[in-house]
Amino acid sequence: MDGAFPRDLTWFKDAVVYETHVKAFYDANGDGVGDFAGLTEKLDYLEQLGVTCLWLLPFFPSPLRDDGYDIADYCAVHPAYGTLADFRRLVEEAHRRDIAVLIELVVNHTSDQHPWFQRARRAPPGSSERAYYVWSDTPERYQGARIIFTDTERSNWAWDEVAGAYYWHRFFSHQPDLNFDHPPVFEEVLSAMRFWLDLGVDGFRLDAIPYLVEREGTNCENLPETHAIVRRIRAVLDRDYPGRILLAEANAWPWDVRPYFGDGDECHMAFHFPLMPRIFMALRREDAEPIVDILRRTPPLPEGCQWGLFLRNHDELTLEMVSDDEREYMVLAYAQDPRARLNLGIRRRLAPLVDNGRRRIELLNSLLFSLPGTPILYYGDEIGMGDDVRRADRDGVRTPMQWSSGPNAGFSTALPQALYAQPIVDPVYGYAAVNVEAQLSDPSSLLQWMRNLIRLRKQFKVFGRGTLEFVPVSNRKVLAYVRRFGEDTLLCVANLSRHTQPAELDLSAFAGAIPLEMLGYTTFPPIGRGPYFLSLGGYGFTWFELRAAPPGSAP
Ligand code: NOJ
């Protein structure tokens, strides 16, 4: 067991997380698929970017019909990505660079190719083997549960010829749900967890966690029985693996996600799903209100807990947590091309969502890195990679990392036809125009800008740990908030409009303090008791440290 990785128990609060697929990052053995060895080779890149935590998408044996979220063996790696020894080396090398490694715990469902399911469908009804999954003689049970993959699935039940019964699945029909009412299932989950924890991983993203348990007459989400399971998982971590964390994937309103933190005895982190579309909405409407509103309605968290913030990830930009009107607005604003839509969301990367607008990309990242929570970057967004809406499902945002303008984007030495997916080649976002090598040698590139921003964030614990107070502003196009932690007080101001905006900020609570602009170390006029005037260029943002005035000076 790798216990040597140094950390304080709340390390995740100061982390900068980077989400990637092993298959998409770098192919070291030239077979066309990214692998652990390739990712290990590129750890220096991540370290220089400033990343302190890797989140790896599923890399387990799988038929890959849901890109690995359909697991066929919980305690092994998919041979295309290397061996367990390669994985172990990746973890060791990451830890050597002070980079933690989070992996996926996908236990709501398995692949239908998992031996448990193959065994269950053949086992007699009433047997323990059969009871690993949720069976029914009719598709009428649990009608209160919604369908999640609305574009592909019509029911949460699928008929199994071999079993002669229906089985329950919240996602694709090839992903039968495990039955957490059957105690051996929980034991299996624990042993899979221990397997990876003993290999040194620093925590798990709990995939699809709200759906573990089903009960008649409910929507089968967020049930007390599900929370009881999360608490049992957490108790094992606290007892045997302190410092390892749980990150909940619960796509729900903040008040419904809040219980996943329990009394500090469930998850350490959870994604803030509803904030993300509201950031995009605020930008398009040039109005700070959607961000202020959702954060005002976000309950405080117990000690030792943290939100995970993100702009984009490997899935569609989900619009489940907005009203029907807001969804319609978002689709009109960001997905005019019907091919960009999937289920209830938009399958596009960050840069194309904002028409490759550099100032907008910077503005969105300034919010990601300064609002309360831990920022999570999606691979490739740090260089402004594009997507391809013509590809199936979410494949258009999962293309090879663009390392250089060389063959296969520098991702692999395989023949192009052997690649797991072709890199993006269009004139704007294609690898000839957008790649790491070019951006490393261009001091003005997005990549260099991201490195700077991350470096700055890491100098101030207040970003990851501070309180949030909104500052009253005379202009709704401007968002201003103060973050405080210990001695540090920061003021963050963002102009959501494309045009220059004036703003009068009510900073009277800070009268006497002197704002020091953090990117250029420029001292601004002291804050008085009246409105504080700022003007910001289109999509501009500024961060200030509010420093106490020298003794004797009058506000
Ligand atoms: C959530 C994952 O993010 C998504 O990619 C996957 O398809 C579903 N869970 C089902 O596992």
Side-chain angles (χ1 to χ4, degrees), residues 63 69-74 106-118 132-133 167 169 172-178 185:
Y69 282 99
D70 45 334
I71 295 177
D73 181 351
Y74 284 96
V106 188
V107 291
N108 175 68
H109 47 271
T110 68
S111 161
D112 58 5
Q113 300 307 305
H114 196 293
W116 298 338
F117 187 74
Q118 293 303 323
Y132 268 50
Y133 294 85
Y167 62 89
H169 61 89
F172 291 121
S173 57
H174 57 77
Q175 288 166 316
D177 276 30
L178 284 166
V185 166

PDB file of all heavy atoms in Angstrom, residues 63 69-74 106-118 132-133 167 169 172-178 185:
ATOM      1  N   PRO A  63     -16.682  -3.767 -22.493  1.00  0.00           N
ATOM      2  CA  PRO A  63     -16.988  -3.795 -23.928  1.00  0.00           C
ATOM      3  C   PRO A  63     -16.980  -2.391 -24.542  1.00  0.00           C
ATOM      4  O   PRO A  63     -17.127  -2.243 -25.756  1.00  0.00           O
ATOM      5  CB  PRO A  63     -18.388  -4.403 -23.990  1.00  0.00           C
ATOM      6  CG  PRO A  63     -18.832  -4.689 -22.606  1.00  0.00           C
ATOM      7  CD  PRO A  63     -17.806  -4.174 -21.640  1.00  0.00           C
ATOM      8  N   TYR A  69     -17.822   3.090 -18.878  1.00  0.00           N
ATOM      9  CA  TYR A  69     -18.761   3.123 -17.742  1.00  0.00           C
ATOM     10  C   TYR A  69     -19.605   1.845 -17.709  1.00  0.00           C
ATOM     11  O   TYR A  69     -20.536   1.727 -16.922  1.00  0.00           O
ATOM     12  CB  TYR A  69     -19.654   4.361 -17.800  1.00  0.00           C
ATOM     13  CG  TYR A  69     -18.943   5.615 -17.330  1.00  0.00           C
ATOM     14  CD1 TYR A  69     -18.399   6.514 -18.233  1.00  0.00           C
ATOM     15  CD2 TYR A  69     -18.796   5.874 -15.970  1.00  0.00           C
ATOM     16  CE1 TYR A  69     -17.738   7.651 -17.800  1.00  0.00           C
ATOM     17  CE2 TYR A  69     -18.133   7.000 -15.521  1.00  0.00           C
ATOM     18  CZ  TYR A  69     -17.609   7.891 -16.434  1.00  0.00           C
ATOM     19  OH  TYR A  69     -16.950   9.008 -15.991  1.00  0.00           O
ATOM     20  N   ASP A  70     -19.275   0.934 -18.600  1.00  0.00           N
ATOM     21  CA  ASP A  70     -19.907  -0.388 -18.623  1.00  0.00           C
ATOM     22  C   ASP A  70     -18.803  -1.381 -18.258  1.00  0.00           C
ATOM     23  O   ASP A  70     -18.088  -1.874 -19.117  1.00  0.00           O
ATOM     24  CB  ASP A  70     -20.506  -0.675 -20.007  1.00  0.00           C
ATOM     25  CG  ASP A  70     -19.587  -0.312 -21.171  1.00  0.00           C
ATOM     26  OD1 ASP A  70     -18.723   0.586 -21.027  1.00  0.00           O
ATOM     27  OD2 ASP A  70     -19.710  -0.955 -22.235  1.00  0.00           O
ATOM     28  N   ILE A  71     -18.668  -1.630 -16.980  1.00  0.00           N
ATOM     29  CA  ILE A  71     -17.498  -2.365 -16.480  1.00  0.00           C
ATOM     30  C   ILE A  71     -17.749  -3.873 -16.476  1.00  0.00           C
ATOM     31  O   ILE A  71     -18.814  -4.338 -16.051  1.00  0.00           O
ATOM     32  CB  ILE A  71     -17.134  -1.858 -15.060  1.00  0.00           C
ATOM     33  CG1 ILE A  71     -16.682  -0.396 -15.155  1.00  0.00           C
ATOM     34  CG2 ILE A  71     -16.040  -2.730 -14.430  1.00  0.00           C
ATOM     35  CD1 ILE A  71     -16.356   0.245 -13.821  1.00  0.00           C
ATOM     36  N   ALA A  72     -16.740  -4.617 -16.937  1.00  0.00           N
ATOM     37  CA  ALA A  72     -16.857  -6.084 -16.962  1.00  0.00           C
ATOM     38  C   ALA A  72     -15.969  -6.745 -15.911  1.00  0.00           C
ATOM     39  O   ALA A  72     -16.028  -7.964 -15.719  1.00  0.00           O
ATOM     40  CB  ALA A  72     -16.508  -6.616 -18.353  1.00  0.00           C
ATOM     41  N   ASP A  73     -15.098  -5.956 -15.269  1.00  0.00           N
ATOM     42  CA  ASP A  73     -14.245  -6.499 -14.201  1.00  0.00           C
ATOM     43  C   ASP A  73     -13.735  -5.309 -13.392  1.00  0.00           C
ATOM     44  O   ASP A  73     -13.076  -4.417 -13.941  1.00  0.00           O
ATOM     45  CB  ASP A  73     -13.067  -7.266 -14.829  1.00  0.00           C
ATOM     46  CG  ASP A  73     -12.151  -7.877 -13.771  1.00  0.00           C
ATOM     47  OD1 ASP A  73     -12.330  -7.575 -12.568  1.00  0.00           O
ATOM     48  OD2 ASP A  73     -11.245  -8.642 -14.157  1.00  0.00           O
ATOM     49  N   TYR A  74     -14.057  -5.297 -12.100  1.00  0.00           N
ATOM     50  CA  TYR A  74     -13.719  -4.126 -11.275  1.00  0.00           C
ATOM     51  C   TYR A  74     -12.265  -4.102 -10.816  1.00  0.00           C
ATOM     52  O   TYR A  74     -11.791  -3.079 -10.341  1.00  0.00           O
ATOM     53  CB  TYR A  74     -14.628  -4.051 -10.039  1.00  0.00           C
ATOM     54  CG  TYR A  74     -16.007  -3.552 -10.387  1.00  0.00           C
ATOM     55  CD1 TYR A  74     -17.052  -4.429 -10.633  1.00  0.00           C
ATOM     56  CD2 TYR A  74     -16.242  -2.190 -10.500  1.00  0.00           C
ATOM     57  CE1 TYR A  74     -18.310  -3.955 -10.967  1.00  0.00           C
ATOM     58  CE2 TYR A  74     -17.495  -1.701 -10.843  1.00  0.00           C
ATOM     59  CZ  TYR A  74     -18.526  -2.598 -11.082  1.00  0.00           C
ATOM     60  OH  TYR A  74     -19.754  -2.121 -11.428  1.00  0.00           O
ATOM     61  N   VAL A 106     -17.778   2.969 -10.347  1.00  0.00           N
ATOM     62  CA  VAL A 106     -19.050   2.915 -11.093  1.00  0.00           C
ATOM     63  C   VAL A 106     -19.817   1.708 -10.592  1.00  0.00           C
ATOM     64  O   VAL A 106     -19.674   0.601 -11.130  1.00  0.00           O
ATOM     65  CB  VAL A 106     -18.788   2.791 -12.612  1.00  0.00           C
ATOM     66  CG1 VAL A 106     -20.092   2.926 -13.392  1.00  0.00           C
ATOM     67  CG2 VAL A 106     -17.774   3.817 -13.082  1.00  0.00           C
ATOM     68  N   VAL A 107     -20.606   1.883  -9.550  1.00  0.00           N
ATOM     69  CA  VAL A 107     -21.218   0.703  -8.942  1.00  0.00           C
ATOM     70  C   VAL A 107     -22.745   0.726  -8.977  1.00  0.00           C
ATOM     71  O   VAL A 107     -23.379  -0.175  -8.439  1.00  0.00           O
ATOM     72  CB  VAL A 107     -20.715   0.480  -7.494  1.00  0.00           C
ATOM     73  CG1 VAL A 107     -19.254   0.070  -7.520  1.00  0.00           C
ATOM     74  CG2 VAL A 107     -20.925   1.702  -6.627  1.00  0.00           C
ATOM     75  N   ASN A 108     -23.309   1.747  -9.616  1.00  0.00           N
ATOM     76  CA  ASN A 108     -24.762   1.682  -9.796  1.00  0.00           C
ATOM     77  C   ASN A 108     -25.113   0.542 -10.739  1.00  0.00           C
ATOM     78  O   ASN A 108     -26.136  -0.109 -10.595  1.00  0.00           O
ATOM     79  CB  ASN A 108     -25.277   3.011 -10.360  1.00  0.00           C
ATOM     80  CG  ASN A 108     -26.747   2.945 -10.676  1.00  0.00           C
ATOM     81  OD1 ASN A 108     -27.569   2.838  -9.769  1.00  0.00           O
ATOM     82  ND2 ASN A 108     -27.099   2.947 -11.956  1.00  0.00           N
ATOM     83  N   HIS A 109     -24.213   0.343 -11.729  1.00  0.00           N
ATOM     84  CA  HIS A 109     -24.496  -0.657 -12.768  1.00  0.00           C
ATOM     85  C   HIS A 109     -23.203  -1.306 -13.216  1.00  0.00           C
ATOM     86  O   HIS A 109     -22.113  -0.790 -12.949  1.00  0.00           O
ATOM     87  CB  HIS A 109     -25.167   0.013 -13.973  1.00  0.00           C
ATOM     88  CG  HIS A 109     -24.464   1.280 -14.391  1.00  0.00           C
ATOM     89  ND1 HIS A 109     -24.782   2.517 -13.875  1.00  0.00           N
ATOM     90  CD2 HIS A 109     -23.431   1.496 -15.239  1.00  0.00           C
ATOM     91  CE1 HIS A 109     -24.001   3.441 -14.401  1.00  0.00           C
ATOM     92  NE2 HIS A 109     -23.157   2.851 -15.230  1.00  0.00           N
ATOM     93  N   THR A 110     -23.325  -2.423 -13.921  1.00  0.00           N
ATOM     94  CA  THR A 110     -22.165  -3.052 -14.553  1.00  0.00           C
ATOM     95  C   THR A 110     -22.469  -3.151 -16.047  1.00  0.00           C
ATOM     96  O   THR A 110     -23.555  -2.769 -16.488  1.00  0.00           O
ATOM     97  CB  THR A 110     -21.937  -4.480 -14.027  1.00  0.00           C
ATOM     98  OG1 THR A 110     -23.016  -5.319 -14.479  1.00  0.00           O
ATOM     99  CG2 THR A 110     -21.868  -4.522 -12.507  1.00  0.00           C
ATOM    100  N   SER A 111     -21.546  -3.714 -16.781  1.00  0.00           N
ATOM    101  CA  SER A 111     -21.837  -4.109 -18.161  1.00  0.00           C
ATOM    102  C   SER A 111     -22.695  -5.383 -18.118  1.00  0.00           C
ATOM    103  O   SER A 111     -22.592  -6.172 -17.174  1.00  0.00           O
ATOM    104  CB  SER A 111     -20.526  -4.414 -18.875  1.00  0.00           C
ATOM    105  OG  SER A 111     -20.783  -5.187 -20.028  1.00  0.00           O
ATOM    106  N   ASP A 112     -23.499  -5.596 -19.151  1.00  0.00           N
ATOM    107  CA  ASP A 112     -24.216  -6.880 -19.195  1.00  0.00           C
ATOM    108  C   ASP A 112     -23.236  -8.031 -19.486  1.00  0.00           C
ATOM    109  O   ASP A 112     -23.586  -9.193 -19.378  1.00  0.00           O
ATOM    110  CB  ASP A 112     -25.383  -6.852 -20.197  1.00  0.00           C
ATOM    111  CG  ASP A 112     -24.948  -6.523 -21.614  1.00  0.00           C
ATOM    112  OD1 ASP A 112     -23.725  -6.409 -21.878  1.00  0.00           O
ATOM    113  OD2 ASP A 112     -25.842  -6.363 -22.481  1.00  0.00           O
ATOM    114  N   GLN A 113     -21.997  -7.684 -19.825  1.00  0.00           N
ATOM    115  CA  GLN A 113     -20.976  -8.731 -20.035  1.00  0.00           C
ATOM    116  C   GLN A 113     -20.242  -9.086 -18.745  1.00  0.00           C
ATOM    117  O   GLN A 113     -19.392  -9.982 -18.746  1.00  0.00           O
ATOM    118  CB  GLN A 113     -19.952  -8.267 -21.079  1.00  0.00           C
ATOM    119  CG  GLN A 113     -20.564  -7.966 -22.429  1.00  0.00           C
ATOM    120  CD  GLN A 113     -21.391  -9.134 -22.925  1.00  0.00           C
ATOM    121  OE1 GLN A 113     -20.909 -10.253 -23.027  1.00  0.00           O
ATOM    122  NE2 GLN A 113     -22.676  -8.878 -23.207  1.00  0.00           N
ATOM    123  N   HIS A 114     -20.528  -8.384 -17.661  1.00  0.00           N
ATOM    124  CA  HIS A 114     -19.873  -8.721 -16.396  1.00  0.00           C
ATOM    125  C   HIS A 114     -20.260 -10.141 -15.988  1.00  0.00           C
ATOM    126  O   HIS A 114     -21.435 -10.521 -16.110  1.00  0.00           O
ATOM    127  CB  HIS A 114     -20.288  -7.722 -15.308  1.00  0.00           C
ATOM    128  CG  HIS A 114     -19.379  -7.768 -14.114  1.00  0.00           C
ATOM    129  ND1 HIS A 114     -19.308  -8.864 -13.280  1.00  0.00           N
ATOM    130  CD2 HIS A 114     -18.489  -6.868 -13.631  1.00  0.00           C
ATOM    131  CE1 HIS A 114     -18.403  -8.628 -12.328  1.00  0.00           C
ATOM    132  NE2 HIS A 114     -17.886  -7.420 -12.531  1.00  0.00           N
ATOM    133  N   PRO A 115     -19.294 -10.932 -15.500  1.00  0.00           N
ATOM    134  CA  PRO A 115     -19.638 -12.312 -15.104  1.00  0.00           C
ATOM    135  C   PRO A 115     -20.781 -12.364 -14.080  1.00  0.00           C
ATOM    136  O   PRO A 115     -21.537 -13.340 -14.082  1.00  0.00           O
ATOM    137  CB  PRO A 115     -18.338 -12.842 -14.477  1.00  0.00           C
ATOM    138  CG  PRO A 115     -17.253 -11.975 -15.011  1.00  0.00           C
ATOM    139  CD  PRO A 115     -17.863 -10.654 -15.395  1.00  0.00           C
ATOM    140  N   TRP A 116     -20.916 -11.341 -13.251  1.00  0.00           N
ATOM    141  CA  TRP A 116     -22.035 -11.357 -12.286  1.00  0.00           C
ATOM    142  C   TRP A 116     -23.379 -11.373 -13.014  1.00  0.00           C
ATOM    143  O   TRP A 116     -24.306 -12.044 -12.596  1.00  0.00           O
ATOM    144  CB  TRP A 116     -22.020 -10.124 -11.369  1.00  0.00           C
ATOM    145  CG  TRP A 116     -20.813  -9.991 -10.512  1.00  0.00           C
ATOM    146  CD1 TRP A 116     -19.946 -10.985 -10.134  1.00  0.00           C
ATOM    147  CD2 TRP A 116     -20.320  -8.787  -9.904  1.00  0.00           C
ATOM    148  NE1 TRP A 116     -18.961 -10.477  -9.336  1.00  0.00           N
ATOM    149  CE2 TRP A 116     -19.166  -9.128  -9.175  1.00  0.00           C
ATOM    150  CE3 TRP A 116     -20.750  -7.465  -9.908  1.00  0.00           C
ATOM    151  CZ2 TRP A 116     -18.434  -8.187  -8.455  1.00  0.00           C
ATOM    152  CZ3 TRP A 116     -20.030  -6.523  -9.198  1.00  0.00           C
ATOM    153  CH2 TRP A 116     -18.876  -6.884  -8.477  1.00  0.00           C
ATOM    154  N   PHE A 117     -23.448 -10.598 -14.106  1.00  0.00           N
ATOM    155  CA  PHE A 117     -24.731 -10.553 -14.821  1.00  0.00           C
ATOM    156  C   PHE A 117     -24.942 -11.847 -15.602  1.00  0.00           C
ATOM    157  O   PHE A 117     -26.046 -12.403 -15.628  1.00  0.00           O
ATOM    158  CB  PHE A 117     -24.799  -9.338 -15.754  1.00  0.00           C
ATOM    159  CG  PHE A 117     -26.167  -9.179 -16.367  1.00  0.00           C
ATOM    160  CD1 PHE A 117     -27.230  -8.708 -15.603  1.00  0.00           C
ATOM    161  CD2 PHE A 117     -26.411  -9.536 -17.687  1.00  0.00           C
ATOM    162  CE1 PHE A 117     -28.509  -8.592 -16.147  1.00  0.00           C
ATOM    163  CE2 PHE A 117     -27.680  -9.423 -18.241  1.00  0.00           C
ATOM    164  CZ  PHE A 117     -28.729  -8.944 -17.472  1.00  0.00           C
ATOM    165  N   GLN A 118     -23.875 -12.318 -16.225  1.00  0.00           N
ATOM    166  CA  GLN A 118     -23.990 -13.573 -16.980  1.00  0.00           C
ATOM    167  C   GLN A 118     -24.429 -14.713 -16.068  1.00  0.00           C
ATOM    168  O   GLN A 118     -25.212 -15.582 -16.457  1.00  0.00           O
ATOM    169  CB  GLN A 118     -22.654 -13.899 -17.663  1.00  0.00           C
ATOM    170  CG  GLN A 118     -22.289 -12.925 -18.762  1.00  0.00           C
ATOM    171  CD  GLN A 118     -23.382 -12.846 -19.834  1.00  0.00           C
ATOM    172  OE1 GLN A 118     -24.003 -13.850 -20.172  1.00  0.00           O
ATOM    173  NE2 GLN A 118     -23.637 -11.642 -20.339  1.00  0.00           N
ATOM    174  N   TYR A 132     -28.043 -10.391  -7.522  1.00  0.00           N
ATOM    175  CA  TYR A 132     -27.068  -9.301  -7.714  1.00  0.00           C
ATOM    176  C   TYR A 132     -27.688  -8.142  -8.505  1.00  0.00           C
ATOM    177  O   TYR A 132     -27.187  -7.027  -8.488  1.00  0.00           O
ATOM    178  CB  TYR A 132     -25.837  -9.813  -8.463  1.00  0.00           C
ATOM    179  CG  TYR A 132     -24.725 -10.292  -7.556  1.00  0.00           C
ATOM    180  CD1 TYR A 132     -24.967 -11.187  -6.520  1.00  0.00           C
ATOM    181  CD2 TYR A 132     -23.425  -9.830  -7.734  1.00  0.00           C
ATOM    182  CE1 TYR A 132     -23.948 -11.623  -5.692  1.00  0.00           C
ATOM    183  CE2 TYR A 132     -22.390 -10.261  -6.912  1.00  0.00           C
ATOM    184  CZ  TYR A 132     -22.661 -11.150  -5.893  1.00  0.00           C
ATOM    185  OH  TYR A 132     -21.645 -11.570  -5.074  1.00  0.00           O
ATOM    186  N   TYR A 133     -28.727  -8.435  -9.259  1.00  0.00           N
ATOM    187  CA  TYR A 133     -29.357  -7.403 -10.102  1.00  0.00           C
ATOM    188  C   TYR A 133     -30.834  -7.273  -9.725  1.00  0.00           C
ATOM    189  O   TYR A 133     -31.354  -8.057  -8.927  1.00  0.00           O
ATOM    190  CB  TYR A 133     -29.161  -7.749 -11.583  1.00  0.00           C
ATOM    191  CG  TYR A 133     -27.687  -7.685 -11.962  1.00  0.00           C
ATOM    192  CD1 TYR A 133     -26.849  -8.787 -11.760  1.00  0.00           C
ATOM    193  CD2 TYR A 133     -27.130  -6.521 -12.460  1.00  0.00           C
ATOM    194  CE1 TYR A 133     -25.490  -8.712 -12.046  1.00  0.00           C
ATOM    195  CE2 TYR A 133     -25.769  -6.443 -12.767  1.00  0.00           C
ATOM    196  CZ  TYR A 133     -24.948  -7.538 -12.559  1.00  0.00           C
ATOM    197  OH  TYR A 133     -23.618  -7.448 -12.844  1.00  0.00           O
ATOM    198  N   TYR A 167     -34.939  -6.770 -16.382  1.00  0.00           N
ATOM    199  CA  TYR A 167     -33.954  -6.228 -15.429  1.00  0.00           C
ATOM    200  C   TYR A 167     -33.959  -4.696 -15.502  1.00  0.00           C
ATOM    201  O   TYR A 167     -34.278  -4.095 -16.527  1.00  0.00           O
ATOM    202  CB  TYR A 167     -32.543  -6.788 -15.668  1.00  0.00           C
ATOM    203  CG  TYR A 167     -31.964  -6.455 -17.014  1.00  0.00           C
ATOM    204  CD1 TYR A 167     -31.238  -5.281 -17.221  1.00  0.00           C
ATOM    205  CD2 TYR A 167     -32.143  -7.317 -18.090  1.00  0.00           C
ATOM    206  CE1 TYR A 167     -30.709  -4.970 -18.454  1.00  0.00           C
ATOM    207  CE2 TYR A 167     -31.619  -7.009 -19.333  1.00  0.00           C
ATOM    208  CZ  TYR A 167     -30.910  -5.826 -19.510  1.00  0.00           C
ATOM    209  OH  TYR A 167     -30.410  -5.515 -20.737  1.00  0.00           O
ATOM    210  N   HIS A 169     -32.450  -0.891 -15.388  1.00  0.00           N
ATOM    211  CA  HIS A 169     -31.230  -0.153 -15.777  1.00  0.00           C
ATOM    212  C   HIS A 169     -31.571   1.321 -15.855  1.00  0.00           C
ATOM    213  O   HIS A 169     -32.531   1.706 -16.518  1.00  0.00           O
ATOM    214  CB  HIS A 169     -30.709  -0.650 -17.126  1.00  0.00           C
ATOM    215  CG  HIS A 169     -31.677  -0.472 -18.254  1.00  0.00           C
ATOM    216  ND1 HIS A 169     -31.723   0.673 -19.008  1.00  0.00           N
ATOM    217  CD2 HIS A 169     -32.663  -1.274 -18.729  1.00  0.00           C
ATOM    218  CE1 HIS A 169     -32.684   0.564 -19.908  1.00  0.00           C
ATOM    219  NE2 HIS A 169     -33.288  -0.585 -19.755  1.00  0.00           N
ATOM    220  N   PHE A 172     -27.927   2.996 -20.155  1.00  0.00           N
ATOM    221  CA  PHE A 172     -28.163   2.169 -21.348  1.00  0.00           C
ATOM    222  C   PHE A 172     -28.678   0.780 -20.942  1.00  0.00           C
ATOM    223  O   PHE A 172     -28.362   0.276 -19.859  1.00  0.00           O
ATOM    224  CB  PHE A 172     -26.870   2.002 -22.140  1.00  0.00           C
ATOM    225  CG  PHE A 172     -26.379   3.256 -22.820  1.00  0.00           C
ATOM    226  CD1 PHE A 172     -25.123   3.774 -22.537  1.00  0.00           C
ATOM    227  CD2 PHE A 172     -27.166   3.917 -23.757  1.00  0.00           C
ATOM    228  CE1 PHE A 172     -24.655   4.916 -23.164  1.00  0.00           C
ATOM    229  CE2 PHE A 172     -26.708   5.063 -24.398  1.00  0.00           C
ATOM    230  CZ  PHE A 172     -25.456   5.563 -24.099  1.00  0.00           C
ATOM    231  N   SER A 173     -29.410   0.132 -21.836  1.00  0.00           N
ATOM    232  CA  SER A 173     -29.974  -1.180 -21.486  1.00  0.00           C
ATOM    233  C   SER A 173     -28.876  -2.242 -21.365  1.00  0.00           C
ATOM    234  O   SER A 173     -29.116  -3.314 -20.827  1.00  0.00           O
ATOM    235  CB  SER A 173     -31.017  -1.605 -22.509  1.00  0.00           C
ATOM    236  OG  SER A 173     -30.426  -1.631 -23.783  1.00  0.00           O
ATOM    237  N   HIS A 174     -27.678  -1.940 -21.851  1.00  0.00           N
ATOM    238  CA  HIS A 174     -26.591  -2.916 -21.652  1.00  0.00           C
ATOM    239  C   HIS A 174     -25.885  -2.687 -20.313  1.00  0.00           C
ATOM    240  O   HIS A 174     -24.843  -3.276 -20.064  1.00  0.00           O
ATOM    241  CB  HIS A 174     -25.588  -2.864 -22.816  1.00  0.00           C
ATOM    242  CG  HIS A 174     -24.982  -1.508 -23.049  1.00  0.00           C
ATOM    243  ND1 HIS A 174     -23.982  -0.997 -22.243  1.00  0.00           N
ATOM    244  CD2 HIS A 174     -25.244  -0.556 -23.983  1.00  0.00           C
ATOM    245  CE1 HIS A 174     -23.656   0.209 -22.684  1.00  0.00           C
ATOM    246  NE2 HIS A 174     -24.404   0.495 -23.736  1.00  0.00           N
ATOM    247  N   GLN A 175     -26.466  -1.825 -19.475  1.00  0.00           N
ATOM    248  CA  GLN A 175     -25.878  -1.535 -18.158  1.00  0.00           C
ATOM    249  C   GLN A 175     -26.865  -1.863 -17.038  1.00  0.00           C
ATOM    250  O   GLN A 175     -27.484  -0.961 -16.462  1.00  0.00           O
ATOM    251  CB  GLN A 175     -25.488  -0.052 -18.064  1.00  0.00           C
ATOM    252  CG  GLN A 175     -24.274   0.311 -18.894  1.00  0.00           C
ATOM    253  CD  GLN A 175     -24.124   1.816 -19.060  1.00  0.00           C
ATOM    254  OE1 GLN A 175     -25.105   2.520 -19.319  1.00  0.00           O
ATOM    255  NE2 GLN A 175     -22.920   2.321 -18.929  1.00  0.00           N
ATOM    256  N   PRO A 176     -27.038  -3.160 -16.718  1.00  0.00           N
ATOM    257  CA  PRO A 176     -27.983  -3.521 -15.659  1.00  0.00           C
ATOM    258  C   PRO A 176     -27.546  -2.957 -14.302  1.00  0.00           C
ATOM    259  O   PRO A 176     -26.365  -2.959 -13.971  1.00  0.00           O
ATOM    260  CB  PRO A 176     -27.930  -5.058 -15.658  1.00  0.00           C
ATOM    261  CG  PRO A 176     -26.636  -5.408 -16.302  1.00  0.00           C
ATOM    262  CD  PRO A 176     -26.340  -4.321 -17.287  1.00  0.00           C
ATOM    263  N   ASP A 177     -28.531  -2.470 -13.540  1.00  0.00           N
ATOM    264  CA  ASP A 177     -28.225  -1.903 -12.216  1.00  0.00           C
ATOM    265  C   ASP A 177     -27.978  -3.010 -11.200  1.00  0.00           C
ATOM    266  O   ASP A 177     -28.747  -3.989 -11.139  1.00  0.00           O
ATOM    267  CB  ASP A 177     -29.403  -1.052 -11.714  1.00  0.00           C
ATOM    268  CG  ASP A 177     -29.358   0.366 -12.263  1.00  0.00           C
ATOM    269  OD1 ASP A 177     -28.852   0.554 -13.376  1.00  0.00           O
ATOM    270  OD2 ASP A 177     -29.849   1.277 -11.559  1.00  0.00           O
ATOM    271  N   LEU A 178     -26.967  -2.814 -10.378  1.00  0.00           N
ATOM    272  CA  LEU A 178     -26.726  -3.743  -9.270  1.00  0.00           C
ATOM    273  C   LEU A 178     -27.808  -3.556  -8.207  1.00  0.00           C
ATOM    274  O   LEU A 178     -28.398  -2.475  -8.075  1.00  0.00           O
ATOM    275  CB  LEU A 178     -25.340  -3.490  -8.665  1.00  0.00           C
ATOM    276  CG  LEU A 178     -24.174  -4.024  -9.503  1.00  0.00           C
ATOM    277  CD1 LEU A 178     -22.851  -3.435  -9.020  1.00  0.00           C
ATOM    278  CD2 LEU A 178     -24.125  -5.555  -9.462  1.00  0.00           C
ATOM    279  N   VAL A 185     -23.593  -7.684  -2.651  1.00  0.00           N
ATOM    280  CA  VAL A 185     -23.214  -6.652  -3.631  1.00  0.00           C
ATOM    281  C   VAL A 185     -22.348  -5.598  -2.950  1.00  0.00           C
ATOM    282  O   VAL A 185     -21.308  -5.185  -3.467  1.00  0.00           O
ATOM    283  CB  VAL A 185     -24.474  -6.019  -4.276  1.00  0.00           C
ATOM    284  CG1 VAL A 185     -24.126  -4.737  -5.030  1.00  0.00           C
ATOM    285  CG2 VAL A 185     -25.138  -7.023  -5.207  1.00  0.00           C
TER     286      VAL A 185
END
